[in-house]
Amino acid sequence: MHAGFYGREPRNVPELELVIVGAGAAGLSAAIYAALMEINFVVVDAEQGGGLMTLAKTIENMPGVSGKRGPELTQTLIEQLERNGARVRTFEPAQELRFARGDLAVQTSRNAYRPKCVIIATGLELLGLREEYGVEGEREWLGKGVSYCAECDAPLFRGKSVLVAGNPFDAFVLARVAAQVTYLGPVPEEFRSQVPREILEANDIDYIEGDLQRLEGGTVLEAAVIDGVRRPCDGVFISRRKAGTEIYADAGLKLSRDGFIETNRAMETNIEGVFAAGDITGEPWQISKSVGEGAVACLSAFRFLTGRRMRNLGWALQDEWEQAGI
Amino acid sequence: MHAGFYGREPRNVPELELVIVGAGAAGLSAAIYAALMEINFVVVDAEQGGGLMTLAKTIENMPGVSGKRGPELTQTLIEQLERNGARVRTFEPAQELRFARGDLAVQTSRNAYRPKCVIIATGLELLGLREEYGVEGEREWLGKGVSYCAECDAPLFRGKSVLVAGNPFDAFVLARVAAQVTYLGPVPEEFRSQVPREILEANDIDYIEGDLQRLEGGTVLEAAVIDGVRRPCDGVFISRRKAGTEIYADAGLKLSRDGFIETNRAMETNIEGVFAAGDITGEPWQISKSVGEGAVACLSAFRFLTGRRMRNLGWALQDEWEQAGI
């Protein structure tokens, strides 16, 4: 019935146990665990897998994996998955989720899955990548001076000159390593009470106000044009991120105030059998966090599946186990 | 004053900002981030670093790092740290912690540190490694058939025959991949209500009772002797783990029911400025979880340090920021 759709088909487990939605760092990590543990699963991705990780020029801050380029690490993870007998179902976006108690349904562009549990790992949308939000030149020098993640890319700008627009905390992160940090104000409303302009200046961060009109450069970024004035810089940090969580709210998942899927430390959401991992669960945006959360989500799913099989055998499990999470 | 003790000494930050206690997967991950972000820190380890990771024969389940041996991954992490200008202070165990509000002290065998924040990443104690708990042959075939972590090592026993003593959930994990799983009862008291013997048998797990007397083998494990009877097997899984958390409880840290340090998803403990990461925060025991948590703990510490500097500048931060965590 679903045969051929599964990541792998283990012995004695005919039913589809798990659907992993999204194959970025978190989804691939969960899938590798699922394959190793012989869970009967599929992993789908709206595109070709890898998510935002594929945009990383050099990954310096993933412990154990340093110096790789983003697409290279993506390939390593996909190969690790395939070596364990599973593969990503690419270009198969999830379109609708229905999470009734004990009856989960994932409708993608191609299939209607009815798994026993679900891991959501669809990551972030980068608004900067949408035409309507981008500054002229933003896409052109993305990864060559333009960055969306100060905590990820700060080390690449040691001793350099950077401009920060958006989240003022990015400026503090960069002030540790960069030779010169300029914050382009005004500070957005949501941060103004926390980080007024004076605080930035007290931390050796230059403060200017103006309109970022376009970026300029050659093979790498060289300058930003603000109100008609060309300001040389090596890096521009722009934070305009959001999670595309509308379909999850519609499915009944509890979201945090800033729009991410809420989980506990076992990566359980408010719906039984539904787990989440990676950037979609909130900051910080780190590959290592995503990989760790993918692993935990899959092990929690495994425990959920085990508990479910016990219940099917007629055992009323005690509250401790039900509530223990992992 | 502490000069020379620091992992690194950044510009304009004379004070010791962070002490990382423990240099296993979580502590090394936190240290790599701390070095990249130019935090003024030290990382101490009671031994030579690497923690339980050094016991892993082959690491199959760390996404992005597959096929490495445990000591090899340890070396990779240590080199990554050193490339960023820091090093582990080895054979320097923490002996006493005093966490007064706004006044943290870490006393090690060699130094008295007064950092602004602390990350605890001291991992698990494996009771099996203590002479007094071990079965004859347990140390000899550790990593050659003897394992303490079903979720970690299950993939190495695909199609093989294994014996499980201790946590009955390990038997479920192994039943997915191994050809034959035998659980050595009786089921310990703490699991008996959750996993009675009948549940094991209903899941194709053989159930026997007896006393595990010794292990036998050549280059790898070959058999377990139970009540004088030699039972051939490829693997023996023993779960006897505990966190050595007494000194943390004494320091006022809140522990979970099973004795681990409680944290939220930002890896904050109940004490301001004190974070925890890795196995010491509870299951699952996974390198990927530890690495992710180390990263998150360090970024949370960084935000804490930033907030602290703001407070020093006389700013009363709003509740949102105080409570937002990361």
Side-chain angles (χ1 to χ4, degrees), chain A residues 61 63 151 173 176 284 286 288, chain B residues 17-20 26-41 81 117-121 265-268 274-277 290-306 326:
Chain A
N61 57 359
E151 286 159 350
V173 172
R176 291 296 182 107
Q286 295 293 311
S288 49
Chain B
E17 295 181 299
L18 169 66
V19 170
I20 300 168
L28 285 171
S29 172
I32 288 167
Y33 272 81
L36 284 167
M37 301 180 84
E38 306 241 349
I39 292 173
N40 193 352
F41 77 104
L81 179 62
C117 57
V118 173
I119 296 173
I120 298 170
R265 296 203 55 228
M267 310 319 295
E268 295 168 323
V274 180
F275 306 84
S290 292
V291 167
E293 290 187 355
V296 173
C298 185
L299 293 171
S300 293
F302 181 86
R303 291 227 170 174
F304 173 79
L305 292 166
T306 304
I326 54 163

Side-chain angles (χ1 to χ4, degrees), chain A residues 261-299:
Chain A
I261 297 178
E262 277 205 0
T263 72
N264 61 12
R265 294 203 55 229
M267 310 319 294
E268 295 168 323
T269 68
N270 62 310
I271 298 179
E272 198 185 65
V274 180
F275 306 84
D279 286 347
I280 198 142
T281 71
E283 290 192 88
W285 324 120
Q286 295 293 311
I287 295 172
S288 49
K289 167 182 174 281
S290 292
V291 167
E293 289 187 356
V296 172
C298 185
L299 293 171

Side-chain angles (χ1 to χ4, degrees), chain B residues 135-281:
Chain B
V135 171
E136 189 187 328
E138 184 173 324
R139 290 178 82 102
E140 191 170 348
W141 287 287
L142 183 59
K144 299 168 188 165
V146 173
S147 168
Y148 296 127
C149 179
E151 285 159 350
C152 311
D153 294 339
L156 305 174
F157 293 88
R158 184 162 288 153
K160 298 194 171 173
S161 167
V162 299
L163 179 76
V164 175
N167 184 342
F169 285 104
D170 288 353
F172 291 115
V173 173
L174 288 156
R176 291 297 183 107
V177 294
Q180 203 206 346
V181 180
T182 302
Y183 182 82
L184 179 65
V187 177
E189 185 61 53
E190 66 265 36
F191 297 111
R192 211 165 297 164
S193 60
Q194 300 165 20
V195 190
R197 152 181 190 166
E198 293 79 359
I199 285 290
L200 290 160
E201 291 173 339
N203 279 273
D204 294 326
I205 296 163
D206 295 335
Y207 182 91
I208 60 172
E209 288 194 356
D211 188 27
L212 179 58
Q213 292 162 324
R214 67 173 182 282
L215 304 175
E216 294 180 355
T219 48
V220 296
L221 179 74
E222 288 167 7
V225 178
I226 297 166
D227 289 346
V229 180
R230 187 180 191 276
R231 296 181 150 260
C233 62
D234 305 301
V236 170
F237 285 78
I238 304 171
S239 52
R240 277 193 308 243
R241 285 174 289 242
K242 73 187 265 301
T245 39
E246 293 82 359
I247 70 165
Y248 309 120
D250 291 347
L253 286 172
K254 193 175 170 204
L255 304 186
S256 64
R257 210 172 34 169
D258 46 355
F260 296 97
I261 297 178
E262 278 205 358
T263 71
N264 62 11
R265 296 203 55 228
M267 310 319 295
E268 295 168 323
T269 68
N270 62 310
I271 298 179
E272 199 185 64
V274 180
F275 306 84
D279 286 347
I280 199 142
T281 70

